[in-house]
């Protein structure tokens, strides 16, 4: 089957080109700060850095816990906008602002990147990627931001490239073609940088790709290693239950027969990785979650467990070699995959001892707590959203099951507060029907194998949920008017910040969920917030550009808040 | 419906010379313009505008017609004459043209009905503001008659080259599809 695909991927093998002048950039203004280069030691110590925000999810452990407390439960009511920056692109924004020494880097839909003075919002430079003719995106022309290291800024693009920019000027230094865009590969995630490696996965689980995580050289863009998320033997153990012990109603006999007839489906099995990995420098491992199998709803063309889709996976940081995995849903036919970035933190194991753990929030609505040693599951939380009729198989007419295909928790990163030992997740409740329609691999075009459709008459809503990761119990929960997508930030000031599709950006007391502050951002605040401190003044910043997938009002604002005098 | 090979061969024979060897872009364009218009306005209300359409979309449609993944009595035999490179040249040409202005009118209530359909079908996840991008076609300002036909073709399993659209369209009643066609035809081309 589909032998040409191997060849096509071979020919599309990464090529490197030097600096081109195809992109546009503008430089102006006097710079604040010295745009000092970002050292590995700064990146490694980010969790305790109360000035900068150096990683998409705060630090290598991805806790999104910001260690400063100038803005706190007692004064957050005085939080006011310090400045608003409007980008050139009015469309979905999912960027996590990165702040280095008073300079902020943000990105927009269609791969624009900006450097701003983080005190004033004044533009320093603007880079617009010269997009190739073939781009792919299932869910909006999104970008989730940059990674910084040395004097470079890195961004992945919708035409499946990785670009390196000069942090001072925004000039492109190099670009690398990561994979073949005609086959459905593209990039929306922010890359991660460790030492001399830029780590990045791929989108394309809706297009029959074969997923991967790759490491590229920060200086040259050359590939250092690749981990294929889909092994050549993707069959697994014929699991009949999901990670929580519920029967998935697989017809194993039929699958075995299909396997004998069509062989292992690994070449077009999907398994994108489009959120950042958590990095453990101590054990030199990276932990990431792998997305859904292709085609999403039609299991008949992909017999077996479809390893390592819908899984937590750990690989060796230096070689990309497999270390361990845990599959949440084998042979998923609901697109209820694993997306929200994993977090490394100390958790209690079954015996009540502190161990290094990994947290992940699923579209299923559970927070999963793993042992970092071997990826095994210690516990899973109470469901954060209604679950009904799990697991009902998709039908030709459409079968209702909750949660809907967006979750639970979508790509939205969680944040934790290690003092409260709570993890904070934002959820969707969107009742849907699951319909299956089998069609052959369409050569890189959208390939869902059916559809998930919102049930128009049923109410939709969202929530912010705090889960005790030592017990799996829900500590508090606040309902929101709309399904939640974007992300959340926790701070040492006892606060969590998160935004909604209706434009409301809110601060809650992280110990009990009491709402302490709100601001109307004018467009959907559906991006993960960051925080930083410049000249002794703490700020919280969020992008408000709405969301394409949920059709929340689009905008183009980056809004930074600080305490009124 | 699948044309029998013999029928396909007949249509081939009747077509102007377009064999891969003697491909001359101008000659082929003259053929296209007979239906898709001299100035971008198609000759029939249910023929699509392709002037200013997205390059990669035009290219994939020509490939799909040729392979009969999108099976159409008129377009499949035409597209089958071109190899990949020729299809790319045609696509490049049309993508570089200016989208024409056409007249379309909304009926009362269309806006609300259309928006409900759009939210239910999660259309904006891919289609955004309907301007098209790469593999996503521009729908803003497309001909009402063609939009209606192609959406109904999805719903009725006539157009098969974007199979996921089939179940999406099956969720929409015909009145909603008609309202959507008028709505999309009146969205401004940016």
């Amino acid at each position: 089957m589909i032998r040409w695909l191997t060849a096509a991927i071979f020919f599309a093998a990464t090529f490197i080109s030097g600096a081109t002048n195809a992109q546009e950039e503008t430089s102006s203004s006097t710079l604040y700060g010295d745009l000092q280069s970002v050292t590995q030691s700064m990146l490694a110590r980010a969790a305790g850095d109360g000035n900068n925000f150096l990683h998409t999810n705060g630090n290598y452990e991805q806790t999104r816990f910001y260690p400063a407390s100038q803005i706190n439960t007692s004064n957050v009511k005085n939080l006011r906008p310090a400045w608003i920056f409007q980008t050139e692109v009015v469309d979905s924004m999912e960027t996590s602002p990165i702040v280095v020494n008073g300079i902020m880097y943000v990105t927009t839909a269609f791969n624009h990147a900006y450097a701003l003075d983080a005190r004033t919002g004044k533009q320093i430079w603007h880079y617009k990627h010269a997009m190739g003719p073939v781009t792919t995106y299932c869910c909006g022309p999104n970008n989730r931001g940059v990674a910084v290291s040395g004097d470079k800024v890195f961004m992945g693009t919708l035409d499946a490239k990785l670009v390196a920019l000069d942090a001072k000027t925004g000039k492109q230094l190099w670009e690398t073609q990561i994979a073949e865009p005609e086959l459905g590969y593209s990039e929306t995630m922010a890359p991660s940088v460790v030492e001399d490696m830029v780590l990045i996965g791929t989108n394309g689980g809706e297009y029959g790709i074969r997923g991967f995580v790759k490491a590229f050289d920060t200086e040259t863009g050359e590939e250092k290693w690749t981990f294929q998320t889909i092994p050549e033997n993707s069959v697994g153990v014929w699991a009949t239950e999901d990670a929580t012990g519920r029967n998935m109603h697989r017809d194993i006999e039929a699958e075995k027969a299909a396997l004998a007839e069509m062989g292992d489906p690994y070449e077009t099995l999907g398994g994108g990785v489009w959120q950042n990995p958590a990095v453990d420098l101590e054990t030199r491992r990276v932990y990431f979650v792998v997305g859904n199998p292709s085609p999403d709803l039609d299991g008949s063309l992909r017999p077996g467990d479809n390893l390592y889709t819908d899984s937590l996976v750990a690989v060796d940081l230096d070689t990309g070699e497999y270390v361990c995995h845990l599959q949440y849903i084998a042979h998923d036919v609901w697109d209820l995959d694993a997306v929200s970035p994993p977090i490394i933190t100390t958790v209690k194991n079954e015996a009540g001892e502190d161990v290094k753990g990994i947290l992940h929030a699923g579209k299923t609505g559970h927070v999963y707590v793993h042992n970092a040693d071997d990826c095994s599951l210690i516990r899973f939380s109470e469901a954060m959203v209604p679950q009904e009729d799990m697991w009902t198989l998709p039908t030709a007419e459409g079968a209702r099951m909750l949660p809907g295909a967006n979750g639970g928790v979508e790509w939205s990163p969680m944040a934790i507060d290690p003092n409260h030992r709570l993890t904070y997740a934002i959820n969707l409740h969107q009742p849907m029907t699951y319909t299956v329609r089998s069609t052959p691999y369409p050569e890189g075009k959208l390939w869902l194998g059916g559809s998930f459709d919102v049930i128009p008459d049923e109410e939709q809503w969202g929530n912010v949920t705090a889960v005790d990761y030592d017990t799996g119990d829900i500590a508090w929960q606040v309902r929101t008017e709309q399904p939640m997508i974007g992300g959340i930030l926790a701070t040492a000031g006892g606060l969590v910040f998160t935004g909604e599709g209706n434009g409301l950006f809110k601060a809650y007391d992280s110990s009990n969920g009491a709402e302490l502050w709100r601001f109307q951002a004018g467009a959907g605040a559906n991006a993960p917030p960051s925080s930083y401190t410049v000249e002794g003044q703490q700020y919280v910043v969020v992008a408000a550009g709405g969301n394409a997938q949920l059709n929340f009002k689009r905008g183009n604002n980056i809004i930074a808040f600080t305490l009124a005098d | 419906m699948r044309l029998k090979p013999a029928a396909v061969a007949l249509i081939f024979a009747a077509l102007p010379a377009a064999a891969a060897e003697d491909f001359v872009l101008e000659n082929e364009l003259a053929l296209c313009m007979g239906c898709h218009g001299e100035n971008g306005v198609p000759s029939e209300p249910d023929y699509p505008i392709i002037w200013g359409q997205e390059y990669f979309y035009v290219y994939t449609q020509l490939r799909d017609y040729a392979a009969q993944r999108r099976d159409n009595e008129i377009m499949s035999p035409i597209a089958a004459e071109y190899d990949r490179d020729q299809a790319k040249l045609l696509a490049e040409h049309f993508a570089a043209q200016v989208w024409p202005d056409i007249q379309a009118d909304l009926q009362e209530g269309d806006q609300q009905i259309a928006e409900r359909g759009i939210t239910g079908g999660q259309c904006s996840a891919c289609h955004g503001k309907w301007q098209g991008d790469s593999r996503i076609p521009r729908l803003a300002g497309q001909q009402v008659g063609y939009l209606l036909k192609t959406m109904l073709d999805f719903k009725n399993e006539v157009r098969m080259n974007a199979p996921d659209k089939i179940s999406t369209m099956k969720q929409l009643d015909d009145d909603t599809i008609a309202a959507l066609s008028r709505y999309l035809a009146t969205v401004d081309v940016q």
Side-chain angles (χ1 to χ4, degrees), chain B residues 90-110:
Chain B
L90 288 163
E92 262 165 28
H93 170 83
F94 285 106
Q97 307 307 307
V98 177
W99 189 272
D101 260 337
I102 50 149
Q103 184 56 36
D105 295 304
L106 280 179
Q107 292 178 10
E108 207 177 313
D110 277 355

Side-chain angles (χ1 to χ4, degrees), chain A residues 95-407:
Chain A
T95 189
S96 286
I98 298 293
V99 181
V100 185
N101 253 10
I103 309 296
M104 180 183 297
Y105 302 96
V106 293
T107 63
T108 70
F110 298 108
N111 294 116
H112 291 231
Y114 291 89
L116 309 173
D117 181 329
R119 296 169 308 168
T120 63
K122 187 166 188 220
Q123 179 177 318
I124 296 167
W125 52 254
H126 171 203
Y127 165 88
K128 182 177 172 184
H129 177 61
M131 198 73 81
V134 184
T135 58
T136 309
Y137 44 87
C138 63
C139 313
N142 304 318
N143 185 271
R144 299 196 188 83
V146 302
V148 289
S149 167
D151 46 12
K152 295 189 186 66
V153 169
F154 303 93
M155 175 171 69
T157 67
L158 294 174
D159 54 355
K161 288 178 177 163
L162 176 64
V163 298
L165 310 179
D166 182 327
K168 287 196 175 66
T169 62
K171 281 205 168 40
Q172 186 174 305
L173 300 171
W174 52 255
E175 68 173 32
T176 293
Q177 186 74 51
I178 297 173
E180 173 51 56
E182 285 199 24
L183 295 176
Y185 294 89
S186 72
E187 298 294 344
T188 57
M189 69 183 281
S192 295
V193 180
V194 193
E195 295 155 7
D196 60 350
M197 287 179 282
V198 192
L199 307 179
I200 193 161
T202 182
N203 291 48
E206 274 61 48
Y207 300 84
I209 59 146
R210 182 181 179 197
F212 54 72
V213 173
K214 286 178 188 283
F216 294 95
D217 188 290
T218 50
E219 289 307 310
T220 63
E222 266 164 68
E223 191 176 312
K224 292 174 89 86
W225 55 253
T226 297
F227 171 77
Q228 299 281 1
T229 59
I230 310 291
E232 284 182 27
N233 182 346
S234 65
V235 170
V237 298
W238 304 104
T240 53
E241 292 176 350
D242 73 356
T244 68
R246 275 171 286 197
N247 191 304
M248 297 179 295
H249 304 117
R250 284 173 71 178
D251 184 343
I252 302 284
E253 287 320 305
E255 282 185 47
K256 284 185 171 162
L259 182 71
E261 197 187 309
M262 64 179 79
D264 196 296
Y266 73 94
E267 282 179 297
T268 56
L269 196 49
V273 175
W274 45 283
Q275 283 284 46
N276 299 71
V279 178
D280 185 345
L281 291 172
E282 219 171 65
T283 57
R284 298 198 71 77
R285 288 179 179 185
V286 289
Y287 295 86
F288 50 85
V289 285
V290 182
N292 59 281
S294 299
D296 301 45
L297 294 127
D298 176 16
S300 71
L301 300 178
R302 46 174 173 83
D305 292 355
N306 306 150
L307 293 177
Y308 300 105
T309 63
D310 290 35
S311 302
L312 172 75
V313 177
V315 303
D316 184 282
L317 171 62
D318 298 299
T319 62
E321 262 159 51
Y322 170 90
V323 174
C324 61
H325 84 281
L326 184 124
Q327 191 172 36
Y328 301 107
I329 304 168
H331 196 77
D332 174 17
V333 288
W334 305 271
D335 192 22
L336 285 176
D337 57 334
V339 198
S340 175
I343 297 172
I344 305 176
T345 191
T346 303
V347 302
K348 294 249 182 284
N349 68 6
E350 296 87 340
E353 300 149 354
D354 276 348
V355 294
K356 190 183 283 180
I358 309 289
L359 308 178
H360 163 67
K363 283 189 182 176
T364 52
H366 296 293
V367 172
Y368 300 93
V369 182
H370 301 257
N371 191 319
D373 268 355
D374 59 358
C375 296
S376 63
L377 194 63
I378 297 173
R379 67 180 63 84
F380 57 91
S381 74
E382 289 179 67
M384 299 181 282
V385 291
Q387 297 176 327
E388 283 174 33
D389 304 318
M390 276 165 94
W391 296 98
T392 300
L393 296 172
T395 61
E397 301 72 41
R400 181 181 180 278
M401 184 186 92
L402 301 185
N406 291 329

Side-chain angles (χ1 to χ4, degrees), chain A residues 90 110 133-140 181-182 406 437 439 443-446 448-451 453 457 548 551, chain B residues 55-56 59 64 69 88 116 118-120 122 124-126 129 133-135 157 161 163-164 166-168 170-171:
Chain A
V90 184
F110 298 108
V134 184
T135 58
T136 309
Y137 44 87
C138 63
C139 313
E182 285 199 24
N406 291 329
R437 164 175 293 277
T439 49
E443 301 188 9
K445 287 199 300 186
L446 190 70
L448 301 179
S451 63
D453 301 277
D457 313 320
N551 205 15
Chain B
Y55 158 76
F56 192 58
Y59 168 70
D64 283 357
R69 281 190 291 267
K88 281 188 174 163
R116 204 172 134 85
I118 290 163
T119 304
Q122 303 192 73
S124 63
C126 294
K129 289 172 274 183
D133 184 41
S134 186
R135 53 175 79 220
E157 300 180 40
N161 74 325
D164 309 309
I166 295 173
S167 16
T168 305
K170 281 191 189 295
Q171 310 288 322

Side-chain angles (χ1 to χ4, degrees), chain A residues 485-508:
Chain A
I485 197 161
I488 192 162
L489 174 77
T491 75
L495 299 167
V496 291
F497 290 90
T498 186
E500 300 175 26
N502 55 20
L504 289 174
F505 182 53
K506 294 179 181 168
Y508 301 89

